C-alpha cells in the first residue's frame, strides 16, 4: 500500500488547486487536485505534507489541520492511503493567479498549473468523484474521519465513512 498526503490551502474563500496537465503517465491527468504527494522514507504524514506543499508551491504552512485518512481501493491501481490536511496559515510568496473558469495561466510547478479557485467553483472542475466526497466533508467541517473510496476503473462505486456506507 502506498502512502500519500493531500492538502488544501485556503485563502479569501478560494482553494489552491493544481490542474494536473504537465506530468507524463499521470493517473490524475486532466484532474484538479490539492497539493501533496508520496511519502519519502522516514516521513510522518505531517513531514510529507509540509515538504510536498513547499516543493509544489514554494509556500510553508505555519499551521496544518489533519482532517482525515482516505483509503483508495481500485481494480486497476495499488491501494493508497492518503492523509488529508487543510491550512489557511502559510508563509511565502503567493504568486498564483485566480482561476475564474477561463484560460489558465501557466505556473512553474512541474506537475501542472496552480491557481486559486473560488470554493463555489471547485465542484464544477474535472475532479475525481471521490474528491467531491471528501471536499464536501471538509466544507461541512466534519471532525477527523476515515473514508474508504472504492473505484472500478474511473468510476466511484462505494464510499464508506467511519465504517458506514454513505
Amino acid at each position: 500500500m502506498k502512502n500519500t498526503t493531500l492538502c488544501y490551502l485556503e485563502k479569501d474563500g478560494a482553494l489552491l488547486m493544481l490542474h494536473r496537465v504537465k506530468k507524463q503517465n499521470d493517473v490524475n491527468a486532466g484532474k484538479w487536485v490539492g497539493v501533496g504527494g508520496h511519502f519519502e522514507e522516514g516521513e510522518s504524514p505531517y513531514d510529507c505534507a509540509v515538504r510536498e506543499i513547499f516543493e509544489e508551491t514554494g509556500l510553508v504552512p505555519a499551521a496544518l489541520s489533519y482532517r482525515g485518512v482516505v483509503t483508495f481501493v481500485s481494480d486497476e491501481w495499488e491501494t493508497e492511503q492518503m492523509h488529508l490536511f487543510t491550512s489557511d496559515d502559510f508563509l511565502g510568496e503567493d504568486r498564483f493567479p485566480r482561476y475564474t473558469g477561463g484560460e489558465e495561466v501557466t505556473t512553474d510547478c512541474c506537475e501542472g498549473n496552480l491557481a486559486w479557485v473560488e470554493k463555489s467553483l471547485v465542484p464544477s472542475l474535472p475532479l475525481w468523484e471521490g474528491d467531491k466526497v471528501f471536499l464536501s466533508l471538509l466544507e461541512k467541517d466534519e471532525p477527523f474521519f476515515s473514508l474508504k473510496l472504492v473505484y472500478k476503473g474511473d468510476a466511484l462505486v462505494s464510499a464508506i465513512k467511519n465504517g458506514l456506507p454513505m
Side-chain angles (χ1 to χ4, degrees):
M1 179 182 327
K2 66 180 174 181
N3 280 288
T4 61
T5 59
L6 186 68
C7 185
Y8 289 99
L9 301 178
E10 184 175 349
K11 179 181 95 170
D12 300 328
L15 298 178
L16 187 60
M17 301 290 291
L18 175 61
H19 190 197
R20 301 289 293 251
V21 293
K22 294 183 181 177
K23 193 174 171 185
Q24 293 286 331
N25 302 316
D26 187 354
V27 70
N28 294 306
K31 304 283 192 210
W32 288 79
V33 298
V35 295
H38 296 87
F39 279 48
E40 291 184 357
E41 183 63 34
E43 285 186 322
S44 70
Y46 184 88
D47 296 336
C48 179
V50 169
R51 177 184 53 76
E52 287 285 349
I53 291 165
F54 181 74
E55 286 178 1
E56 293 179 2
T57 70
L59 301 172
V60 177
L64 280 175
S65 295
Y66 193 1
R67 305 295 300 276
V69 176
V70 181
T71 304
F72 296 98
V73 177
S74 167
D75 61 346
E76 295 183 7
W77 303 291
E78 176 184 7
T79 298
E80 175 182 345
Q81 203 160 61
M82 181 187 74
H83 303 265
L84 186 60
F85 293 87
T86 57
S87 179
D88 61 4
D89 187 7
F90 40 88
L91 308 169
E93 181 186 355
D94 175 7
R95 62 191 189 286
F96 307 110
R98 201 94 170 165
Y99 177 75
T100 58
E103 188 172 322
E104 287 180 60
V105 176
T106 302
T107 56
D108 59 2
C109 179
C110 66
E111 298 188 13
N113 296 326
L114 287 156
W116 292 104
V117 180
E118 292 290 330
K119 287 166 59 171
S120 63
L121 293 177
V122 171
S124 66
L125 298 173
L127 304 171
W128 288 102
E129 286 303 308
D131 290 19
K132 293 177 184 179
V133 174
F134 58 75
L135 281 165
S136 171
L137 295 172
L138 294 177
E139 186 61 28
K140 293 181 209 170
D141 205 21
E142 193 80 17
F144 191 92
F145 56 86
S146 172
L147 182 64
K148 181 179 178 181
L149 300 172
V150 180
Y151 282 87
K152 285 194 179 176
D154 288 349
L156 180 65
V157 296
S158 175
I160 302 164
K161 183 182 89 173
N162 299 332
L164 300 173
M166 294 182 70

